């Protein structure tokens, strides 16, 4: 008799190490997302308040850097090409960790989020192409609505106060990691024009040296930081987008633990660099890139010009339909059962939340329309407006299930035996049940003692009342 194939759980409970890693990573991203939100608002105010708006363009256009090395760049370019390399370095480490130790290390488990992420990039691109085909617009911006900004998405969660269960947060994080990977490939393949092979060869030699030093166990920031800067400068001058250097170095770090190691080198460096990325690099990029005109005419243009309308619909409609549809189809054909504690509307809410495209979308918008400053700013405005609409839709959907999410989160974090491990992860351990039995026995004994004391007080009160009633008048 054939043994039935067990069904896999989709959005089931994470392992304890994975749950703690996700919680720590997202905690930093949430703080960074709030800073990102503040930076974006500051940029919009700076660029739109009369009297100071001219200074915004003056500051971000200010050039600094050694011209002899080909690095006489504006502050805006330093933010986009320099600071975002740090962001993509962290993305490279995240991707490496997911591939060797996370959800993407298991091909069957990885299939669903990878398919969802791919559909979540393909459908927005198709929406953009369709809108611009019908409206006779430019196809150059097809990649703008394909990216998800995990930091901004988590900032929205922080603002609306939703206790999203760890499985949904991990799904969102995995989507963003895969999203970042394909965004990197898009930037490398479609937004590289002329290549300086000498500079590119120098960058490759630097990366080989970087890899060799890591494998040789050489330590010290004073070795790797100057080498990383040299690799970045050579990559920038090669014509390939400089952020690719950050990704390549991140992927080279070892993210598996050896015996006796509490953290792998990749985890350790990510822990050190992530606050710099989320707290400084990305907010500064937002400050110098998100300042676009939001006059009545420019806002109206967003909904009438095919390029900008394609971006808005790609983020709001394309992302939601692509991720939800891809997830449903993948679960349907892989026979993965949805976690019984969740429902498909929860997946729809996360899919709509992934429509918040900011950092990478703004970067691709700059790369897609380099010769048209007006259209570039209009596309950036479309990214902001589309992300805002997606955030509002996601907030409404998440709020409808907030009570359920809070109950699931409380159950995930409950630790009645106070051993530092949530009880939900110890249900198959005899020691846990023995500890709980002892705790409940002590509580039962305390309640019996209190019941006996209460009964004694009641009997004394009843005796006193009876004696009082027999006294002569």
């Amino acid at each position: 008799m054939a043994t039935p194939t067990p069904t896999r759980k989709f959005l089931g409970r994470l392992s304890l190490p994975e749950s703690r890693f996700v919680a720590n990573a997202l905690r930093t991203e949430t703080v960074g997302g709030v800073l990102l939100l503040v930076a974006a608002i500051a940029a919009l105010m700076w660029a739109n308040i009369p009297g100071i708006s001219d200074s915004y363009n003056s500051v971000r256009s200010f050039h600094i850097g050694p011209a002899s090395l080909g690095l006489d760049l504006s502050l805006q370019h330093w933010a986009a090409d320099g600071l975002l390399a740090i962001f993509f370095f962290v993305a490279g480490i995240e991707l490496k960790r997911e591939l060797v130790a996370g959800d993407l290390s298991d091909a069957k488990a990885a299939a669903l989020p990878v398919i969802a992420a791919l559909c979540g990039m393909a459908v927005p691109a198709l929406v953009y192409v369709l809108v611009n085909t019908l409206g006779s617009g430019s196809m150059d911006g097809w990649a703008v609505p394909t990216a998800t900004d995990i930091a901004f998405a988590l900032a929205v969660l922080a603002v609306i106060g939703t206790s999203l269960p760890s499985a949904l947060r991990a799904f969102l994080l995995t989507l963003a990691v895969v999203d970042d990977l394909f965004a990197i490939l898009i930037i490398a393949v479609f937004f590289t024009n002329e290549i300086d092979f000498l500079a590119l060869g120098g960058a490759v030699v630097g990366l080989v040296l970087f890899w060799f030093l890591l494998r040789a166990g050489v330590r010290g920031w004073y070795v790797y930081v100057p080498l990383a800067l040299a690799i970045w400068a050579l990559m920038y001058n090669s014509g390939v987008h400089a952020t690719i250097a950050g990704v390549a170095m991140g992927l080279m770090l070892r993210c598996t633990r050896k015996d006796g190691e509490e953290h792998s080198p990749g985890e350790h460096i990510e822990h050190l660099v992530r606050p710099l990325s989320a707290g400084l690099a990305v907010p500064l990029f937002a400050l110098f890139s998100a300042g676009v005109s939001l006059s009545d005419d420019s806002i109206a243009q967003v909904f009438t010009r095919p390029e900008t309308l394609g971006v808005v619909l790609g983020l709001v409609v394309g992302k939601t339909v692509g991720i939800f549809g891809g997830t449903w189809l993948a679960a349907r054909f892989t026979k993965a059962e949805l976690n019984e504690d969740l429902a498909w509307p929860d997946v729809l809410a996360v899919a709509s939340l992934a429509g918040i495209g900011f950092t990478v979308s703004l970067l691709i918008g700059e790369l897609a329309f380099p010769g048209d400053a007006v259209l570039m700013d209009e596309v950036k405005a479309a990214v902001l407006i589309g992300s805002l609409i997606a955030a509002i839709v996601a907030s409404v959907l998440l709020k409808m299930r907030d009570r359920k999410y809070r109950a699931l989160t409380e159950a995930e974090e409950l630790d009645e035996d106070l051993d530092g491990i949530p009880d939900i992860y110890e249900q198959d351990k005899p020691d846990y049940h023995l500890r709980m039995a002892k705790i409940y026995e002590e509580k039962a004994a305390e309640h019996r003692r209190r019941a006996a004391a209460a009964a004694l007080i009641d009997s004394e009160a009843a005796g006193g009342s009876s004696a009082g009633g027999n006294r002569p008048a």
Side-chain angles (χ1 to χ4, degrees):
M1 182 177 177
T3 304
T5 304
T7 56
R8 292 187 299 105
K9 286 290 183 186
F10 167 51
L11 296 180
R13 187 171 72 244
L14 303 177
S15 66
L16 182 59
E18 185 71 8
S19 177
R20 285 176 170 170
F21 173 82
V22 169
N24 291 333
L26 296 186
R27 191 177 297 114
T28 305
E29 290 287 2
T30 301
V31 175
V34 173
L35 294 175
L36 178 62
L37 189 60
V38 171
I41 293 171
L44 289 171
M45 293 177 64
W46 191 0
N48 287 277
I49 294 177
I52 64 171
S53 57
D54 291 340
S55 66
Y56 179 75
N57 287 324
S58 299
V59 170
R60 70 175 180 176
S61 300
F62 180 76
H63 278 62
I64 189 172
S68 59
L69 298 178
L71 297 176
D72 182 19
L73 309 177
S74 67
L75 291 180
Q76 184 177 4
H77 275 118
W78 274 112
D81 295 304
L83 292 177
L84 279 195
I86 301 173
F87 166 79
F88 279 104
F89 174 70
V90 174
I93 300 175
E94 287 178 344
L95 177 61
K96 179 69 173 288
R97 186 199 164 277
E98 287 291 326
L99 288 170
V100 300
D103 290 341
L104 301 182
S105 61
D106 179 0
K108 290 183 178 180
L112 202 146
V114 168
I115 291 171
L118 285 173
C119 291
M121 298 187 78
V123 176
L126 289 174
V127 169
Y128 180 93
V129 169
L130 179 61
V131 170
N132 282 271
T133 299
L134 296 175
S136 301
S138 170
M139 295 296 176
D140 293 344
W142 64 270
V144 175
T146 60
T148 293
D149 194 303
I150 184 65
F152 225 143
L154 292 169
V156 171
L157 288 177
V159 170
I160 65 175
T162 300
S163 301
L164 204 63
S166 59
L168 283 173
R169 288 179 179 263
F171 182 57
L172 181 62
L173 179 61
T174 306
L175 282 175
V177 169
V178 178
D179 197 297
D180 285 343
L181 169 63
F182 286 100
I184 292 159
L185 293 176
I186 287 172
I187 291 170
V189 173
F190 295 99
F191 296 102
T192 298
N193 297 320
E194 298 180 1
I195 297 179
D196 182 333
F197 287 99
L198 183 61
L200 182 59
V204 171
V205 170
L207 288 170
V208 171
L209 178 59
F210 189 87
W211 179 87
F212 177 77
L213 292 173
L214 287 172
R215 293 301 174 272
V218 176
R219 297 186 178 185
W221 64 267
Y222 46 83
V223 174
Y224 291 102
V225 171
L227 179 58
L229 291 174
I231 293 170
W232 173 86
L234 287 165
M235 190 70 76
Y236 176 83
N237 282 288
S238 74
V240 177
H241 201 270
T243 54
I244 304 301
V247 177
M249 287 184 279
L251 287 170
M252 289 181 181
L253 293 174
R254 177 169 60 83
C255 292
T256 53
R257 301 177 188 177
K258 293 182 178 180
D259 291 341
E261 283 187 339
E262 186 176 352
H263 302 289
S264 68
E267 291 172 321
H268 176 66
I269 293 173
E270 182 186 15
H271 179 73
L272 295 175
V273 179
R274 185 186 287 275
L276 179 62
S277 169
L280 181 66
V282 176
L284 281 178
F285 168 76
L287 182 65
F288 291 120
S289 294
V292 296
S293 173
L294 291 180
S295 63
D296 293 342
D297 291 340
S298 62
I299 293 175
Q301 193 84 335
V302 167
F303 295 99
T304 56
R305 187 161 184 166
E307 294 89 350
T308 51
L309 181 60
V311 170
V312 173
L313 292 179
L315 288 171
V316 177
V317 178
K319 272 290 184 183
T320 304
V321 172
I323 291 175
F324 181 81
T327 304
W328 187 85
L329 288 172
R332 179 81 171 82
F333 288 105
T334 60
K335 296 182 180 179
E337 288 186 356
L338 184 66
N339 180 358
E340 60 272 8
D341 291 328
L342 299 171
W344 282 107
D346 300 316
V347 181
L348 181 66
V350 171
S352 62
L353 190 64
I356 300 174
F358 190 80
T359 306
V360 180
S361 290
L362 290 177
L363 175 61
I364 295 176
E366 292 181 357
L367 298 174
F369 303 102
D372 191 337
V374 174
L375 181 54
M376 183 194 296
D377 278 354
E378 289 175 351
V379 166
K380 287 182 179 181
V383 170
L384 297 175
I385 291 172
S387 298
L388 177 61
I389 295 171
I392 292 171
V393 171
S395 298
V396 171
L397 294 175
L398 291 168
K399 273 297 183 184
M400 293 170 65
R401 296 270 289 169
D402 191 50
R403 183 176 297 177
K404 177 67 173 178
Y405 295 151
R406 289 185 183 279
L408 290 173
T409 303
E410 288 171 1
E412 288 179 357
E413 296 173 353
L414 182 65
D415 182 19
E416 283 191 291
D417 60 343
L418 303 177
D419 66 342
I421 300 175
D423 297 341
I424 200 168
Y425 292 101
E426 299 187 287
Q427 297 302 312
D428 58 346
K429 296 180 179 179
D431 289 347
Y432 161 74
H433 292 287
L434 290 174
R435 286 196 302 273
M436 291 305 300
K438 182 178 180 181
I439 290 171
Y440 285 127
E441 286 168 1
E442 290 174 352
K443 288 183 177 180
E446 175 64 16
H447 283 296
R448 281 193 291 269
R449 186 189 65 77
R450 291 187 179 186
L456 179 61
I457 292 172
D458 284 346
S459 64
E460 289 177 350
S465 174
S466 173
N470 292 329
R471 284 199 302 268

